[in-house]
Amino acid sequence: AAFPGVPRGGLYTIIMAAAAATADGAEEPGMEAEAQELPLGCGGGGGSPAAGRSPEGEERRELPQASVSNGGDENSGRELVELKVIWNKNKYDVKFCLDSTGAELKQKIHSLTGLPPAMQKVMFKGLLPEEKTLREIKVTNGAKIMVVGSTINDVLAVNTPKEAAQQEVKAEENKKEPLCRQKQHRKVLDKGKPDDVMPSVKGVQERLPTVPLSGMYNKSGGKVRLTFKLEQDQLWIGTKERTEKLPMGSIKNVVSEPIEGHEDYHMMAFQLGPTEASYYWVYWVPTQYVDAIKDTVLGKWQYF
């Protein structure tokens, strides 16, 4: 209806036009829904967040699948080196990160063999240092890593009968005349120490040196040296005439005895065949290396 006193062409016309526009907007389908959705999608209060959005209104982003590791790609993007790990006559081809440490390599060996790191003796040009990386000790592709040690189950299975057998052998040896008094050895020992005999340290056990053990006699009284080729798993017995290259696995036993009157040196024999007749005798071995020689040749682990 017209407002009294207001001409149709003036304020009345403006008010009616605005009312008509408001009515038309209310009837437009979806407008009210759009007005309610906007604050929800931008983090407004009340209601459920829009699909595909977080409660704060930010879109949820899925992590790239490549960032999830199942253990197979732990060395992805890192420089690898190919190794041949040899343990207990088993060989394992391993690709390992060149910047990993010796301790990390022990963990890898544990996963391959079941041999606990504390029971491992890992050798590459000598005993592998745990704190250094493979790059620092100059490990290259194709390098052989020698591992010595027994699993806990192996130790438990053989320890008791083995100890009993060793005690019986020692008891029998105690009944016998000391080896250094026997005639066959006396003729070599009576020559005295070689001029170039290596220094000895009594009461101490040391690792094998990086150089050959020299300054010793063999059974015929000739000079002999022992070289431990750990990468090839071989013991080289060298004389002036020749060098015998023996696989360590072919050596059946190693025996030793202090030399009477010179207990800081031992006489030692390597059993190369099935009987004692195959013993290769070496005299004037420094006592500090005796246990390390036995451990390396026979593959036994001893704490010292």
Side-chain angles (χ1 to χ4, degrees), residues 48-66:
S48 301
R53 298 176 180 270
S54 67
E56 291 77 17
E58 296 178 2
E59 292 187 3
R60 296 176 183 171
R61 299 179 182 274
E62 297 292 337
L63 293 174
Q65 292 298 320

Side-chain angles (χ1 to χ4, degrees), residues 67-116:
S67 66
V68 180
S69 173
N70 293 320
D73 58 351
E74 58 184 352
N75 290 321
S76 178
R78 305 168 70 186
E79 187 176 354
L80 304 180
V81 63
E82 296 181 0
L83 308 174
K84 291 188 180 296
V85 177
I86 302 172
W87 171 71
N88 201 21
K89 298 184 179 179
N90 296 316
K91 294 184 180 180
Y92 304 88
D93 292 324
V94 177
K95 288 185 178 180
F96 203 67
C97 179
L98 197 57
D99 291 309
S100 294
T101 62
E104 291 171 326
L105 179 58
K106 281 191 169 186
Q107 292 292 342
K108 180 67 175 179
I109 293 171
H110 179 205
S111 69
L112 293 172
T113 64
L115 186 63

Side-chain angles (χ1 to χ4, degrees), residues 7 20 29 31 36 54 67 69 77-78 82 100 141 150 189 205 213 217 226 230 244 255 293:
M31 288 295 290
Q36 292 177 354
S54 67
S67 66
S69 173
R78 305 168 70 186
E82 296 181 0
S100 294
N141 274 324
S150 300
L189 295 174
Q205 296 177 356
L213 297 179
Y217 289 138
L226 302 176
L230 302 180
E244 295 284 349
V255 297
I293 292 172

